Amino acid sequence: MSKVATNPDGRPIQTTGPVLIVGSGLLGASAALALRAANVQVYLQDVSPTSLALARDLGAGEVYGPDSPEPSLVIVAVPPDVTAECVVAALKDHPNAVVTDVASVKSIIVDEVLESGVDASKYVPSHPMAGRERSGAAAADRDLFIGRPWVVVNRPGLDASAQVAVRNLAVDLGSTVIELDADAHDAAVATVSHVPQLVASLLAARLREASEDALALAGQGLRDTTRIAASDPRLWTSIVSGNCGPVVDVLHAFRSDLDNLIEGLESGARDGFGADGSVGAINAAVSAGNEGVARIPGKHGGVPRRWAIIEVLVPDKPGELARLFSELGAIGINIEDLSMDHSAHQRVGAARISVDPTKARFAETELEARGWRIVTQ
Amino acid sequence: MSKVATNPDGRPIQTTGPVLIVGSGLLGASAALALRAANVQVYLQDVSPTSLALARDLGAGEVYGPDSPEPSLVIVAVPPDVTAECVVAALKDHPNAVVTDVASVKSIIVDEVLESGVDASKYVPSHPMAGRERSGAAAADRDLFIGRPWVVVNRPGLDASAQVAVRNLAVDLGSTVIELDADAHDAAVATVSHVPQLVASLLAARLREASEDALALAGQGLRDTTRIAASDPRLWTSIVSGNCGPVVDVLHAFRSDLDNLIEGLESGARDGFGADGSVGAINAAVSAGNEGVARIPGKHGGVPRRWAIIEVLVPDKPGELARLFSELGAIGINIEDLSMDHSAHQRVGAARISVDPTKARFAETELEARGWRIVTQ
């Protein structure tokens, strides 16, 4: 009597095996672990025998061999620049299987697969928006996809049941399905992921020339805007080089705005404080940014819900944050979001806690009664 | 028998009154509240009778009048574009007082004060790196300066005891003093504050043209890089327009890097996947960003200390985060930093908790034993 396997939301698992996973890196091995935990039969292929053995030893599945059964689903999880050829090989080798891939760019891969002349009616391109700072099977995690958007690409000539199979895979692994065509996907990731990465990198690069004194003035704003500049150059080169066109389109528009801003600032540098040119250009840039950032969906992707933010000073000694959160729990306050704000040199941090606005005043009063110092917003 | 007043680090307060604060906005009223809490006599001036009355009613000090005593220290806390004239007036009206200002740009103000011909030997320009999203006396907080860097500007001809008085003021309010000359200050804030703000705004502006579907793919990286794009355009216009030259210098270098990147990506868009031009340009940009971001000092401004990050999945229901932090406290783990990672649509968030690397494995084991799901890094 075995329990019915369920996904992280408690729905019964829809994916039936055998599943063949080509590529046993972070994404492939993570999907394998999740499917194995749901009692789905998983086989692995990898050009690297070492990676393959590691993934197998981690419990990600059996090595695919000549005697292994025909898969009903093939997941190609290899670097973007070799994805198309692996997809074509999978379609040829397993003509009855649904084939998907998880590469972070789509048009360039879909085009190459279709140009190969293979029957691609069961090829459903996809892209789970999941990743980690570390790569490889050693970093794999069956929970990697939980709560992430997973783009499933629709396109003409696609077998409807094949698309359902890939949607089910995404849901089984805990993701939320978003359907897009390949071009819309590539434009979307250029805007919300690739360009932000590149701009953060270009911005952080300016710090190479900054003095130690200047860096000592770094605050939370700089830390936030440059955090992803610590990302792996090799990974991002492989991602962005497959999406040059859409990325360049966004960067051209960005540069045009930048040029306008620089022109205004140059007039300000000539004409002094409050020169019309600089004031207009700075105001236009910051106002446009206000409009853009307001469009990012809030938690759960619904209409952005406004939480009230309580900011509490937390001494930098063991147990203080734990005590704060424990006391918030005791007075019945749910923490919707949180972040720490601390600059260089300081001995006190500020915890920014997002709470239900109707309970914010109550929470502040209760915390102050317990000796916490609240920073008024 | 009154207790000796101490600063947030427990050191005795050095500032002796009376202190006159010109400008009862966020910074002026916050400094006033902190000084009043330390039993220093505080007087207030403001061109707006409404603001003045509000600050007085909040307990920030008495309204300065013809019968008020001569101040020993004047803090000019007005918008940057009127700071110089207020400093000059203060130096003329109170020739025995030390005069400081708190404006976020320095050279343009110092130049204007010196050009006025007034005796400026007791004028010590300064800049506390503190602020809030809201402005005005209503947002004032006596804890606003705690743990923040406070730049005290050194310059030729400055009275040594005047500089000591302003350094004492910064320490009394809980800040850490950083000594810079005016040009070095302006170059520093251009790099670590003004340009990051403008670049975040330009980046967020690209989201105005994004589809709803694209925005649904927004992840933590986009949220981090654009968070400060929600800042007040009026405030930033007044700040940046006083620092056009240094900001333009940094933006010129930024644009030069951007041009190189765009050129590489354009060749990639022509030549396809893995074209040498795009690969080299992307790799150069992301690698340079790695070098820059690595220079941002860690907590307490020391050698960047590497914390281990534990990532724990937290169901989105009341009390779960509180339970997590309470249990971390119970097993003796101090939380050095934390952030929440959640994308659109998801029902589970990941709490990223920075801990002592020597205790990370222990913490993970203990948390898993208590039923928490750890995301492997």
Side-chain angles (χ1 to χ4, degrees):
Chain A
M1 292 216 320
S2 66
K3 267 198 320 189
V4 173
T6 57
N7 83 346
D9 288 329
R11 300 186 212 178
I13 296 290
Q14 301 290 319
T15 300
T16 51
V19 174
L20 169 61
I21 298 184
V22 180
S24 54
L26 173 67
L27 291 180
S30 294
L33 289 172
L35 290 170
R36 293 270 289 169
N39 301 322
V40 177
Q41 208 177 359
V42 176
Y43 293 88
L44 305 168
Q45 265 184 349
D46 200 296
V47 289
S48 157
T50 318
S51 298
L52 192 58
L54 174 61
R56 182 200 56 206
D57 292 350
L58 290 169
E62 297 172 45
V63 172
Y64 194 75
D67 301 330
S68 302
E70 265 304 298
S72 58
L73 173 66
V74 181
I75 305 172
V76 174
V78 299
D81 54 349
V82 290
T83 295
E85 65 181 272
C86 289
V87 167
V88 170
L91 290 167
K92 284 180 179 162
D93 293 347
H94 311 289
N96 295 320
V98 172
V99 176
T100 188
D101 75 297
V102 297
S104 50
V105 294
K106 298 271 67 97
S107 287
I108 199 168
I109 292 168
V110 173
D111 290 349
E112 199 175 325
V113 171
L114 296 181
E115 281 162 17
S116 77
V118 73
D119 173 7
S121 60
K122 289 188 170 175
Y123 166 48
V124 185
S126 82
H127 177 206
M129 307 289 291
R132 304 228 60 72
E133 276 120 53
R134 282 179 47 205
S135 58
D141 195 297
R142 69 180 163 121
D143 295 332
L144 187 71
F145 304 98
I146 295 177
R148 303 289 176 171
W150 188 316
V151 177
V152 177
V153 170
N154 202 354
R155 58 187 184 79
L158 188 57
D159 181 303
S161 64
Q163 210 201 15
V164 169
V166 175
R167 296 179 72 105
N168 283 342
L169 171 70
V171 171
D172 287 349
L173 270 48
S175 290
T176 302
V177 172
I178 294 176
E179 191 179 305
L180 288 174
D181 67 34
D183 287 343
H185 167 274
D186 289 353
V189 293
T191 302
V192 305
S193 169
H194 303 179
V195 167
Q197 173 62 52
L198 295 171
V199 166
S201 297
L202 293 171
L203 177 62
R206 293 296 100 228
L207 302 176
R208 290 177 305 169
E209 294 154 25
S211 68
E212 297 284 333
D213 284 334
L215 292 163
L217 303 185
Q220 197 58 34
L222 181 70
R223 288 179 165 79
D224 284 349
T225 49
T226 60
R227 185 168 294 123
I228 57 173
S231 302
D232 178 18
R234 213 160 46 98
L235 173 69
W236 278 95
T237 300
S238 88
I239 291 172
V240 177
S241 68
N243 201 29
C244 288
V247 170
V248 158
D249 288 345
V250 181
L251 286 180
H252 277 156
F254 179 93
R255 182 169 61 182
S256 165
D257 287 352
L258 174 62
D259 286 344
N260 289 338
L261 176 61
I262 288 177
E263 196 180 321
L265 292 169
E266 284 169 342
S267 82
R270 278 192 310 271
D271 305 341
F273 230 135
D276 287 351
S278 67
V279 165
I282 301 162
N283 187 61
V286 182
S287 298
N290 283 181
E291 289 171 28
V293 75
R295 295 196 65 214
I296 300 178
K299 208 176 165 188
H300 306 311
V303 178
R305 182 161 171 190
R306 307 305 297 181
W307 302 109
I309 294 181
I310 301 178
E311 197 162 336
V312 186
L313 293 182
V314 182
D316 181 33
K317 57 185 185 188
E320 287 299 295
L321 260 178
R323 185 165 69 85
L324 172 63
F325 285 97
S326 156
E327 295 190 359
L328 277 167
I331 58 179
I333 300 296
N334 191 30
I335 300 161
E336 302 294 341
D337 198 358
L338 55 90
S339 63
M340 286 296 292
D341 182 5
H342 44 57
S343 306
H345 302 296
Q346 72 192 57
R347 287 171 198 85
V348 178
R352 287 187 296 227
I353 304 161
S354 304
V355 303
D356 182 339
T358 65
K359 295 186 181 157
R361 181 59 63 91
F362 168 73
E364 290 185 347
T365 308
E366 290 290 317
L367 287 175
E368 285 187 326
R370 285 163 171 78
W372 294 97
R373 291 176 86 165
I374 310 292
V375 185
T376 309
Q377 293 273 321
Chain B
M1 295 218 315
S2 68
K3 264 197 322 185
V4 174
T6 57
N7 83 347
D9 288 329
R11 301 185 210 177
I13 295 289
Q14 301 291 319
T15 301
T16 51
V19 174
L20 169 62
I21 299 185
V22 181
S24 55
L26 172 68
L27 292 180
S30 294
L33 289 172
L35 290 170
R36 294 270 291 169
N39 301 322
V40 176
Q41 206 176 2
V42 176
Y43 293 89
L44 305 168
Q45 265 183 348
D46 200 295
V47 290
S48 157
T50 318
S51 297
L52 192 58
L54 174 61
R56 182 201 55 206
D57 293 350
L58 290 168
E62 295 172 47
V63 172
Y64 193 75
D67 300 331
S68 302
E70 264 305 298
S72 58
L73 173 66
V74 181
I75 305 172
V76 174
V78 300
D81 54 349
V82 290
T83 295
E85 65 182 272
C86 289
V87 167
V88 170
L91 290 167
K92 284 181 179 160
D93 293 347
H94 312 288
N96 295 319
V98 172
V99 177
T100 187
D101 75 296
V102 298
S104 50
V105 293
K106 298 270 68 96
S107 286
I108 198 169
I109 292 169
V110 173
D111 289 349
E112 200 175 324
V113 170
L114 296 181
E115 281 162 17
S116 76
V118 73
D119 173 6
S121 60
K122 290 189 170 176
Y123 167 48
V124 185
S126 82
H127 176 206
M129 307 288 292
R132 303 228 59 73
E133 275 118 55
R134 281 177 49 204
S135 58
D141 194 298
R142 67 181 165 119
D143 295 333
L144 187 71
F145 304 97
I146 295 178
R148 303 288 175 173
W150 188 315
V151 177
V152 176
V153 171
N154 202 354
R155 60 186 182 79
L158 188 58
D159 180 304
S161 64
Q163 211 201 13
V164 169
V166 175
R167 295 179 72 105
N168 283 342
L169 171 70
V171 171
D172 287 347
L173 269 48
S175 291
T176 303
V177 172
I178 295 177
E179 190 179 302
L180 289 174
D181 67 34
D183 287 344
H185 167 275
D186 289 354
V189 293
T191 301
V192 305
S193 169
H194 303 177
V195 167
Q197 173 62 51
L198 295 171
V199 166
S201 297
L202 293 171
L203 177 61
R206 292 297 99 226
L207 302 176
R208 289 178 306 169
E209 293 153 22
S211 69
E212 296 285 332
D213 284 334
L215 292 163
L217 303 185
Q220 196 59 34
L222 181 70
R223 287 179 166 79
D224 284 349
T225 48
T226 60
R227 185 169 294 124
I228 57 173
S231 303
D232 179 18
R234 213 160 45 99
L235 173 68
W236 278 94
T237 300
S238 87
I239 291 172
V240 176
S241 68
N243 201 28
C244 288
V247 170
V248 158
D249 288 344
V250 180
L251 285 180
H252 277 154
F254 179 93
R255 182 169 62 183
S256 166
D257 288 351
L258 175 63
D259 286 343
N260 289 337
L261 176 61
I262 287 177
E263 195 181 321
L265 291 169
E266 284 169 342
S267 82
R270 278 192 311 271
D271 305 341
F273 230 133
D276 287 351
S278 67
V279 165
I282 301 162
N283 188 61
V286 182
S287 298
N290 283 182
E291 290 171 28
V293 75
R295 296 197 65 213
I296 300 177
K299 209 174 164 187
H300 306 312
V303 178
R305 181 163 171 189
R306 309 303 300 180
W307 302 110
I309 293 181
I310 302 178
E311 197 162 333
V312 186
L313 293 181
V314 181
D316 181 32
K317 58 185 184 188
E320 287 298 295
L321 261 178
R323 185 164 70 84
L324 171 62
F325 286 97
S326 156
E327 296 190 358
L328 277 167
I331 59 180
I333 300 296
N334 190 29
I335 300 161
E336 301 295 341
D337 198 358
L338 54 90
S339 64
M340 286 296 291
D341 182 5
H342 44 56
S343 306
H345 301 298
Q346 71 191 57
R347 287 170 199 85
V348 178
R352 288 188 296 229
I353 304 161
S354 303
V355 303
D356 182 339
T358 65
K359 295 187 181 159
R361 181 60 63 92
F362 167 74
E364 289 186 346
T365 308
E366 290 290 316
L367 287 176
E368 285 187 326
R370 285 163 171 78
W372 294 98
R373 292 176 86 166
I374 310 292
V375 184
T376 310
Q377 291 272 322

